[in-house]
Amino acid sequence: MSEKKSFYVTTPLYYANDELHIGHAFSTLAADILSRYQRAMGRDVYFLTGSDEHGQKVEQAAKARGLTPLEHTDKLVEKFKSLWELLDISNDDFIRTTEDRHKKVVVHALNQLWEKGDIYEADYSGWYCTPCERFWTEKEVPEKICPDCKRSVQELSEKSYFFKMSAYQQKLIDHINANPGFIRPENRKNEVLGFLRQPLGDLCISRPKARLSWGIDLPFAPDYVTYVWFDALTNYISAIGYPFDMEKFNRLWPASCHIVGKDILTTHAVYWTTMLMALDLQLPQCIFAHGWWVTGEGKMSKSLGNIINPRELVARYGLDPFRFYLFREMVFGMDATYTEDNFVLRYNADLANDYGNLCQRTLPLLIKNREGIFHKKQPALPQSLEIAQMATQIKADYVEAMENFLFHDALKHIWTLVQRLNKYVDETAPWKLAKEQNFEVLDEVFYTIGEGIRFCTHLVEPFMPHLAPEFLKQIGCAEQRVSLSDLAWGQLPDGTSCTEPTPMFPRLETERIQNLKKGGKPAAEDGKKEKAAAPVKSEVNEDGLISFDDFLKTELCIARIETAEKVEKADKLLKLTVNIGSETRTLVAGIADFYKPEEIIGRQVVMVKNLKPAKIRGIVSHGMILAAATEDGGLALVSPDKLAQTGIRVK
Ligand code: ME8
């Protein structure tokens, strides 16, 4: 992605008019993950975030709180910074648009463009929306309602200053066409090109002080301030020294990537780029516009009361699971729906069952049978060889995904390896090898597992910067870290000694979640400082027996069958909806040879509740009902022998 030596990444400057929610946290985390990845690949990274503090919205918010605008933004900026600290954001700088170092660059840029004739004065009339701080044309507001916020607009005519954006339209189109990775993802690029098919107007950059005083004075028109975009966008160059520290500026510019939400794509891809052209500066290498986090009720907004607070989620589930979830769940570039149920499902499936359990089920066996020591063996079993080759390919796929901002794909690749390793444990059954005293093979198996954990952990570290070092500590290689660029299979040193694993991702049971929601302790973490919980015993016993604790991991419950129907073109399957008290689930059961749909509607059965959802014949089946073969070759559903409470746990 980047040919330059340095990697310069930015987030939007968030408006200092309100507190931040998971949408804002997401953009900043994306830049953080990218920065951590690039650093791990050995690049010189500069990561900038900050606050957008001028404009009417901020002025109004301050007034409502009885504060001056700066008093108001000072307070909010502290909150922004404390959120970034909580989320362990590794930014190199935080720029405020109210700082002198920024304001003087805006003034410099305005002067340059004024002298060049790229800023001019003219009368402007249009329909103005105060909350959105923007004019609309007559055509755009036939009902005199703002298309964005749906509030009424007022007609205004005033002397204004304009930036000659239109002069750069063709140059911008040519640049977009000549640089395929410039606006990403592809559909957003097409949107911008679509927008540029219409004649591009010039950009009004001023407000009379009589209407807005909270901005940066226009150096050539003292009764006017510049506001919002001309001010805010300039931060990307003011923070890195333009034009007063050109050494720093030349080292970092052009930016490698501006990460923004899709709402501010046009301002970045059109306003900012034409401003840069006018200033004779290079364009950023990439503008990546990601999608929205929405909730069931639509886009998050205060008025809908559906704002998701990142602090609450971190307190409830821990920082690394929060970071992981956001990037595993959202296809970077598309919208995603946040639900807490979904969070818990992913946590339990990917973190507790897959990644966490890989250590939990194997390291105690290594301690018990080989004094915790990994003995390096050349892979001889076909599965060990397969995993070694697979890991090399997975790293290549992961790098490719990360270089292209496909965070969800990068995580998917890592989990392919995590899941293969868990399957390898099942296939090789190290507890059996230990019992047979087959130490040659046992050592090979443990080495593959230890190396697999190390390999996956290095790859996942940009996403989980706190728990990854803990995983490395558990397998005894916290000291022998390699950089991501050098990571290769087989680097786990012979004789490395593991420690008793502590559960990083304790399963979230329903009761536990209720407790966490009431403010109980988080999973394995305490906000920023993640602490591992107390050690638990191994889950695998050499005799194939499981502990009572392990049995409790399977959540069985009483389900009432509400509907049943045949699945098309699948003779043996019935599609059921079952009521389990708190929710209704859909599942597919292979019982059609033995039960007619109408026979079983209304029946109570026993269901495995916490099974990962699976797609069967295109239907997402979430849960499994229990049944046993009968002596005459039939099938008997397992049901309570008296009416039980629907949804209640079976134990
Ligand atoms: O627009 N889902 O600031 P802002 C995903 N100051 N991302 C979201 C989101 C959601 N539901 N809600 C917000 C501004 N975001 C200007 C920017 S840049 C020089 C000036 C993220 O506080 C997303 O990145 O309204 C979006 O673009 C940004 O927050 C808007 O933040």
Side-chain angles (χ1 to χ4, degrees), residues 92-130:
D92 295 286
D93 196 358
F94 184 105
I95 187 151
R96 301 180 55 176
T97 54
T98 46
E99 286 177 77
D100 280 344
R101 64 166 171 153
H102 172 73
K103 290 195 281 191
K104 67 183 189 192
V105 179
V106 174
V107 168
H108 172 90
L110 287 167
N111 271 331
Q112 291 258 101
L113 301 192
W114 176 248
E115 277 160 26
K116 199 177 168 189
D118 269 351
I119 290 178
Y120 64 92
E121 185 196 309
D123 267 340
Y124 187 88
S125 47
W127 292 88
Y128 188 69
C129 173
T130 310

Side-chain angles (χ1 to χ4, degrees), residues 48-204:
L48 175 72
T49 186
S51 51
D52 185 357
E53 302 188 24
H54 291 123
Q56 217 146 350
K57 280 187 199 170
V58 174
E59 202 174 41
Q60 283 166 351
K63 209 167 170 190
R65 295 174 68 195
L67 300 172
T68 65
L70 195 59
E71 282 167 351
H72 164 80
T73 57
D74 278 350
K75 283 186 199 295
L76 272 177
V77 165
E78 278 322 300
K79 290 194 177 168
F80 285 14
K81 287 185 176 170
S82 85
L83 179 61
W84 301 151
E85 209 177 304
L86 177 76
L87 300 184
D88 200 14
I89 299 302
S90 61
N91 56 307
D92 295 286
D93 196 358
F94 184 105
I95 187 151
R96 301 180 55 176
T97 54
T98 46
E99 286 177 77
D100 280 344
R101 64 166 171 153
H102 172 73
K103 290 195 281 191
K104 67 183 189 192
V105 179
V106 174
V107 168
H108 172 90
L110 287 167
N111 271 331
Q112 291 258 101
L113 301 192
W114 176 248
E115 277 160 26
K116 199 177 168 189
D118 269 351
I119 290 178
Y120 64 92
E121 185 196 309
D123 267 340
Y124 187 88
S125 47
W127 292 88
Y128 188 69
C129 173
T130 310
C132 296
E133 295 182 15
R134 66 162 290 182
F135 277 101
W136 297 96
T137 59
E138 180 84 36
K139 253 205 231 144
E140 285 170 322
V141 287
E143 309 286 332
K144 309 299 168 257
I145 298 289
C146 170
D148 273 355
C149 74
K150 316 287 178 226
R151 281 177 264 213
S152 59
V153 289
Q154 290 89 41
E155 192 169 23
L156 269 183
S157 177
E158 63 193 16
K159 187 176 97 172
S160 296
Y161 291 84
F162 290 85
F163 164 52
K164 253 192 210 163
M165 195 156 70
S166 55
Y168 298 94
Q169 178 166 5
Q170 192 53 47
K171 201 172 161 190
L172 177 58
I173 295 171
D174 294 345
H175 183 88
I176 297 172
N177 285 326
N179 295 276
F182 172 50
I183 296 170
R184 298 197 205 194
E186 185 75 9
N187 60 331
R188 299 284 169 223
K189 175 182 104 172
N190 295 335
E191 254 172 44
V192 174
L193 284 172
F195 178 78
L196 288 170
R197 249 174 246 132
Q198 308 293 324
L200 190 60
D202 289 341
L203 183 68
C204 177

Side-chain angles (χ1 to χ4, degrees), residues 11-17 20-27 52 57 229 232-236 259-264 268 290-294 299-300 330:
T11 72
L13 289 206
Y14 307 109
Y15 282 129
N17 58 350
L20 304 176
H21 56 63
I22 62 163
H24 306 106
F26 180 74
S27 306
D52 185 357
K57 280 187 199 170
W229 297 109
L233 291 163
T234 307
N235 90 87
Y236 300 132
I259 288 180
V260 297
K262 64 181 183 183
D263 54 329
I264 53 176
H268 281 75
H290 64 72
W292 286 122
W293 275 101
V294 295
K299 195 181 155 203
M300 271 179 276
M330 183 188 262

